[in-house]
Amino acid sequence: KNEVEQSPQNLTAQEGEFITINCSYSVGISALHWLQQHPGGGIVSLFMLSSGKKKHGRLIATINIQEKHSSLHITASHPRDSAVYICAVRTGNQFYFGTGTSLTVIP
Amino acid sequence: NAGVTQTPKFRILKIGQSMTLQCAQDMNHNYMYWYRQDPGMGLKLIYYSVGAGITDKGEVPNGYNVSRSTTEDFPLRLELAAPSQTSVYFCASRMTGWGGGNQPQHFGDGTRLSIL
């Protein structure tokens, strides 16, 4: 069983498109994280959420605690957004990760 | 600031050999983590530490050991390498403090380990 499920697994978009990546989780959480893993393998934290919505540039993350669901939106997508996006939840001192959504943005 | 530094970046081991993956952070973070990432799988937590002298098991601790003698360093030890331990290993750290623990993790660049 996976505590965190992401969809879609793979996503190809044309430059400029609006993109949505979904994350559902089955455990009680202290916080939800969205991470970006670059083609070279490095991982950076994009957002940390415990409620509501956060925005950073063209990226928006939302969370619905009651429905145990979060979405990551990318507006006006660009080829440099091509990466794997990972949803992770923290429960106590443990972290659980989704398998990631591989995004390719075509010029 | 260097952030989280992992060494080595790549390593090939023979079955039964031992090695230590090094992780150091210079941000004075109290929490540190070791993860492994297998193809098509999400990251899995191996061990974590909430501070110097305190470590605890994560989801997949078998075959590994850790120690945390200082705030900065959190080495991961493989005693008897097995092919199932072929993976990419990530170390991460974060700060917790007054008002709760909702701080982001900072990740190292990873160590790609192959056991042959």
Side-chain angles (χ1 to χ4, degrees), chain A residues 3-97:
Chain A
E3 289 81 5
V4 181
E5 299 281 355
Q6 284 184 241
S7 64
Q9 276 191 300
N10 297 286
L11 183 55
T12 300
Q14 289 292 133
E15 184 173 356
E17 283 186 5
F18 180 85
I19 289 163
T20 296
I21 299 170
N22 295 299
C23 174
S24 296
Y25 54 92
S26 59
V27 293
I29 68 170
S30 305
L32 182 141
H33 298 246
W34 282 102
L35 309 170
Q36 181 191 55
Q37 186 166 26
H38 299 291
I43 299 173
V44 295
S45 180
L46 297 174
F47 291 104
M48 185 177 54
L49 295 164
S50 52
S51 64
K53 174 180 173 178
K54 286 192 176 180
K55 184 175 188 291
H56 185 254
R58 296 179 294 107
L59 276 62
I60 303 166
T62 64
I63 187 169
N64 185 318
I65 298 293
Q66 286 72 31
E67 295 185 4
K68 294 189 174 179
H69 181 269
S70 176
S71 293
L72 176 68
H73 306 286
I74 304 175
T75 61
S77 58
H78 190 276
R80 65 174 173 266
D81 297 326
S82 298
V84 176
Y85 292 83
I86 301 170
C87 174
V89 299
R90 183 171 72 83
T91 174
N93 286 325
Q94 299 273 351
F95 277 88
Y96 299 99
F97 294 77

Side-chain angles (χ1 to χ4, degrees), chain B residues 59-111:
Chain B
E59 210 178 339
V60 291
N62 291 344
Y64 307 94
N65 280 299
V66 293
S67 60
R68 183 98 181 269
S69 56
T70 66
T71 299
E72 294 77 21
D73 299 299
F74 190 41
L76 178 72
R77 178 88 177 157
L78 283 72
E79 290 293 349
L80 288 171
S84 60
Q85 293 177 304
T86 293
S87 189
V88 181
Y89 291 84
F90 287 95
C91 179
S93 71
R94 73 184 182 106
M95 174 59 82
T96 67
W98 304 107
N102 284 343
Q103 299 296 321
Q105 291 187 83
H106 297 254
F107 286 83
D109 290 336
T111 295

